[in-house]
Amino acid sequence: MSKPFFRAVGPIGTPAQTGPSMSFDQGALSSQMECVASEIEALLEEIMTPTPAEGERCRPTRLLEAMRYSSLKGGKRIRPLLLVASANLFDVPRQRALMAGAALELIHCYSLVHDDLPAMDDDDLRRGRPTTHKAFDEATAILAGDGLLTLAFDVASRPAVHPEAEVRIQLVGSLARAAGLGGMIGGQALDLAAEGRFADGRPLKLDEAAISGLQAMKTGALLKFACAAGGILGNANARERDALDRYGVAVGKAFQIADDLLDVEGDKSTLGKAVGKDAVAGKATLVGILGIEAAKARLQSLVREASLSLELFGTRGRVLVDAAKFIAERRN
Ligand code: GRG
């Protein structure tokens, strides 16, 4: 995390759209992020030791190394930050939120490993390092992704996440739905279909609604889960859960637009991955449909929407409000 987190140009949008609504205490959020990132790192280290857990026979060295390579020492850990911050609204003990955050981060890391594979995006660089299939080999990368995914559900089901089995079941079920057929994986399938990447397919022309729906699944679902998970762990009431859902949806949309903008305007060395890939692949994005300036304006209104949805939490929602601004302004 040596690179600056934020765009050097300051708040996004045209001059008329920038202003106090996008200003926030970057230093305070950065230190919260660094704190969560180092706690998650320590937890993942502990979870992925060579010593087999109860019921396991052994942990094959090369596979474990590839899983550790794919998930340790990298990434902004945005999803665990959102989870911990939403759990804080309900005074959930930090260690429980971190355990759930570690499970979520394992799923995110698996998705990156599989997305980088030759059959998917075929990328050589991730988080500033060779992708897992480049650093190891393709079969090991597939297995490492599978290993991270299944380990996530092992972690999410542990009593350290919550002493009540019913709460853990709710959490595990929501996580599975966010990550699976009608969530992230489904979104990835729709994305590949739109690009005409399947054996029986031709590229499809997607309109704004179709792109938004696909992205809500592919990237939005895990981010929305991160926010909802705080409410699950904190036994939030229906109004609070609805507020977190609305926040999570807005933040998911903002995250994807910011990601698309980075692909157009970002810098490979800051991002730690290739840029300009969407245009080369002819990928339909909201930035492509709306244009850069309108996409930046949309980002601003999504941040406002995210902030407004947290009004019932008052000043306690501050970290989440700042996180939404960070997500919109991030430069990596
Ligand atoms: C399971 C094959 C498979 C795919 C699922 C989420 C996804 C679909 C693929 C990930 C590829 C990707 C780059 C999607 C765009 C948005 C995204 C998830 C960016 C990376 O997330 P960050 O910025 O990454 O949180 P770090 O490295 O900070 O963790």
Side-chain angles (χ1 to χ4, degrees):
M1 278 206 269
S2 54
K3 303 272 184 196
F5 279 143
F6 304 94
R7 286 173 211 269
V9 291
I12 51 167
T14 61
Q17 291 152 345
T18 57
S21 66
M22 288 297 282
S23 66
F24 68 105
D25 187 348
Q26 299 183 355
L29 186 73
S30 282
S31 69
Q32 296 258 13
M33 286 182 75
E34 275 167 28
C35 195
V36 168
S38 78
E39 288 169 303
I40 288 291
E41 184 78 11
L43 207 42
L44 291 177
E45 274 280 359
E46 214 176 282
I47 289 163
M48 286 182 287
T49 59
T51 314
E54 195 192 330
E56 292 176 344
R57 202 178 160 90
C58 76
R59 294 184 156 190
T61 307
R62 187 175 172 80
L63 175 60
L64 180 65
E65 263 177 36
M67 288 168 65
R68 290 172 56 89
Y69 178 85
S70 310
S71 56
L72 297 174
K73 300 193 183 97
K76 298 175 291 298
R77 314 296 197 197
I78 284 176
R79 293 153 193 80
L81 173 85
L82 293 174
L83 201 155
V84 169
S86 61
N88 277 345
L89 296 172
F90 310 99
D91 296 321
V92 172
R94 193 167 180 91
Q95 206 51 29
R96 292 184 193 171
L98 285 168
M99 279 294 281
L104 177 56
E105 187 66 13
L106 287 169
I107 292 196
H108 168 60
C109 293
Y110 123 76
S111 81
L112 299 180
V113 174
H114 279 193
D115 190 65
D116 290 335
L117 286 168
M120 302 273 177
D121 254 14
D122 195 12
D123 273 307
D124 296 348
L125 197 64
R126 169 70 64 187
R127 294 174 166 173
R129 295 186 296 178
T131 46
T132 307
H133 66 276
K134 286 283 171 190
F136 292 80
D137 55 76
E138 215 177 311
T140 304
I142 292 170
L143 293 175
D146 294 342
L148 292 168
L149 172 61
T150 42
L151 184 58
F153 286 101
D154 170 350
V155 171
S157 66
R158 293 183 193 176
V161 170
H162 198 282
E164 290 168 34
E166 215 164 289
V167 174
R168 298 201 300 276
I169 288 170
Q170 236 187 87
L171 192 84
V172 167
S174 301
L175 181 56
R177 289 196 180 173
L181 180 60
M184 181 179 71
I185 298 294
Q188 175 78 351
L190 292 175
D191 203 10
L192 293 178
E195 284 180 34
R197 297 274 304 280
F198 291 132
D200 61 353
R202 286 201 212 121
L204 306 172
K205 191 140 182 52
L206 300 186
D207 61 15
E208 190 182 329
I211 296 172
S212 298
L214 177 166
Q215 293 179 343
M217 292 167 73
K218 182 179 159 176
T219 36
L222 281 198
L223 290 158
K224 184 177 171 207
F225 168 81
C227 308
I232 295 174
L233 292 176
N235 196 23
N237 63 35
R239 209 168 139 245
E240 291 162 337
R241 285 183 197 225
D242 177 61
L244 284 171
D245 279 352
R246 282 186 286 117
Y247 170 85
V249 168
V251 154
K253 287 182 187 168
F255 182 96
Q256 187 61 56
I257 293 177
D259 206 65
D260 295 344
L261 281 168
L262 285 170
D263 192 63
V264 178
E265 296 185 317
D267 165 58
K268 183 176 171 182
S269 68
T270 310
L271 277 173
K273 64 175 185 178
V275 291
K277 291 205 69 173
D278 293 347
V280 171
K283 195 186 277 273
T285 66
L286 285 185
V287 173
I289 286 200
L290 301 172
I292 290 182
E293 289 314 313
K296 288 182 178 177
R298 177 74 62 88
L299 255 185
Q300 285 223 315
S301 74
L302 286 166
V303 169
R304 255 178 250 120
E305 198 179 313
S307 306
L308 283 174
S309 66
L310 297 175
E311 264 180 339
L312 81 157
F313 298 113
T315 53
R316 297 198 85 186
R318 182 79 224 171
V319 177
L320 286 172
V321 169
D322 285 352
K325 291 174 183 168
F326 163 76
I327 282 168
E329 293 187 17
R330 72 201 168 90
R331 44 184 303 167
N332 72 354

